[in-house]
Amino acid sequence: MRDYTMSVFKSYLRRLLQDLKDLKEALREKEYEKVEGMVDKLIDDTQKGIEDN
């Protein structure tokens, strides 16, 4: 079970890393509305993840 949990967590971290890279690029391009939407999605996904547990 521990290996499965670690695998799921690493998968989450890979997705988070990609999201953060995308956010950085959108900021660099001054796409502020896109950034706001991306941040809202990250907050929503995180909130749902917390509530599921």
Side-chain angles (χ1 to χ4, degrees):
M1 182 71 169
R2 183 174 180 213
D3 289 338
Y4 172 76
T5 302
M6 185 58 74
S7 176
V8 169
F9 184 65
K10 284 185 177 183
S11 177
Y12 164 78
L13 289 176
R14 282 190 289 274
R15 180 174 163 223
L16 178 59
L17 178 60
Q18 187 58 55
D19 287 344
L20 291 170
K21 287 179 179 181
D22 293 344
L23 271 170
K24 185 175 182 178
E25 180 63 26
L27 279 170
R28 187 178 296 124
E29 297 296 322
K30 296 179 173 57
E31 297 174 326
Y32 300 120
E33 287 183 26
K34 181 177 179 180
V35 169
E36 185 175 6
M38 293 169 75
V39 170
D40 287 343
K41 184 178 181 320
L42 281 169
I43 291 169
D44 187 52
D45 289 349
T46 302
Q47 186 67 43
K48 286 178 184 174
I50 291 168
E51 291 170 357
D52 286 346
N53 294 321

